[in-house]
Amino acid sequence: MERMLENLSKTEFVSITVRDPRVYKEDIWHTYIDYEICLETNSMCFRRKSSSVRRRYREFVWLRQSLLQNALIIELPKLPPWKPFFHLSSPEQVTARMKGLQTFLEIVVQCPLLLSDSRLHLFLQSELSVRRMERCARGKTRYTVAEAIQRSSSACVPLAEDKSSCDSDYESCSSSSVLGLSVDTSSSGHFLDTSCGHAHCLCEGRGSRGLS
């Protein structure tokens, strides 16, 4: 039995990729970038074996602060340094930040103690805001952690396939290029023009004050 469990643990994998940065312009003063977190795994620790969510830098900051409460003597990896949007002046800087965020998550998911924190699972596999993740983890919502994760229907899709399969019924909008990315120039900031030429609606409104 011990050998079977050992072999099972050796075959388990958790693959995390941070990719596809998108610029969101809410008004003339507030602009931020978020990133897709693509997770694929066969580990029994995760409710879904393939998932895709979008998170911005300040949500990573919240996650690290939350995990510190459960980390005890574990030394958590650091996040890449915070920089305001206007200091991310090149695609290379954005790429460097993505790599840093990915490294942070890759280290975190290798720690069994941190994997027991429901906030980590909500961050990686649900579309809840920070406030709702906090409430859900504390049992103060009408839905459980498992239900919140199951409600998120986005699975990890190769970027090339994702771009070619954009639905034609998405509402289009005017855009301008920032850091080689497309950014919505409408005053509402609810739609982001992607490289396939169609706009994707933001499911949850996110403020852009504070950390990007």
Side-chain angles (χ1 to χ4, degrees):
M1 176 63 73
E2 289 183 2
R3 180 172 296 181
M4 289 177 60
L5 293 174
E6 183 179 353
N7 291 337
L8 179 61
S9 65
K10 288 181 179 179
T11 59
E12 284 192 351
F13 73 91
V14 181
S15 172
I16 290 183
T17 305
V18 178
R19 64 186 192 181
D20 191 24
R22 296 182 183 178
V23 179
Y24 295 78
K25 185 174 182 181
E26 293 186 323
D27 56 46
I28 192 171
W29 300 110
H30 301 120
T31 303
Y32 67 91
I33 304 174
D34 75 1
Y35 313 88
E36 180 188 14
I37 302 173
C38 184
L39 184 148
E40 293 188 274
T41 183
N42 64 354
S43 171
M44 296 176 63
C45 295
F46 292 89
R47 292 276 177 179
R48 302 185 61 205
K49 305 312 176 187
S50 178
S51 62
S52 171
V53 297
R54 301 198 67 85
R55 298 291 182 192
R56 57 187 295 186
Y57 181 85
R58 72 180 184 185
E59 291 173 301
F60 280 85
V61 173
W62 167 83
L63 174 64
R64 189 177 189 277
Q65 292 173 343
S66 299
L67 294 177
L68 278 172
Q69 301 169 10
N70 196 27
L72 301 178
I73 60 174
I74 298 174
E75 184 176 354
L76 285 178
K78 293 183 178 181
L79 291 168
W82 173 77
K83 292 182 180 180
F85 173 78
F86 52 81
H87 283 173
L88 295 173
S89 57
S90 70
E92 290 76 18
Q93 289 176 314
V94 176
T95 299
R97 172 181 276 190
M98 283 195 300
K99 289 181 178 179
L101 296 175
Q102 179 171 316
T103 298
F104 168 78
L105 291 177
E106 287 174 339
I107 296 173
V108 164
V109 298
Q110 296 303 316
C111 177
L113 177 60
L114 299 180
L115 279 175
S116 67
D117 196 316
S118 59
R119 291 168 294 188
L120 174 61
H121 292 269
L122 289 169
F123 177 89
L124 291 173
Q125 295 199 301
S126 84
E127 297 173 352
L128 298 182
S129 64
V130 166
R131 183 180 65 85
R132 289 179 179 176
M133 284 189 286
E134 284 280 14
R135 288 178 54 81
C136 184
R138 294 174 182 174
K140 294 184 177 181
T141 54
R142 290 177 293 178
Y143 44 85
T144 65
V145 171
E147 289 170 342
I149 291 173
Q150 290 299 328
R151 288 179 183 180
S152 176
S153 58
S154 298
C156 189
V157 177
L159 283 179
E161 179 181 343
D162 185 51
K163 291 177 180 179
S164 64
S165 62
C166 292
D167 295 333
S168 60
D169 58 351
Y170 278 123
E171 182 179 349
S172 61
C173 62
S174 60
S175 65
S176 62
S177 178
V178 177
L179 302 179
L181 306 173
S182 295
V183 56
D184 174 41
T185 56
S186 64
S187 59
S188 65
H190 286 221
F191 291 91
L192 171 70
D193 188 26
T194 67
S195 57
C196 68
H198 302 292
H200 291 259
C201 179
L202 296 180
C203 295
E204 272 191 286
R206 299 181 183 177
S208 60
R209 298 181 184 273
L211 297 178
S212 298

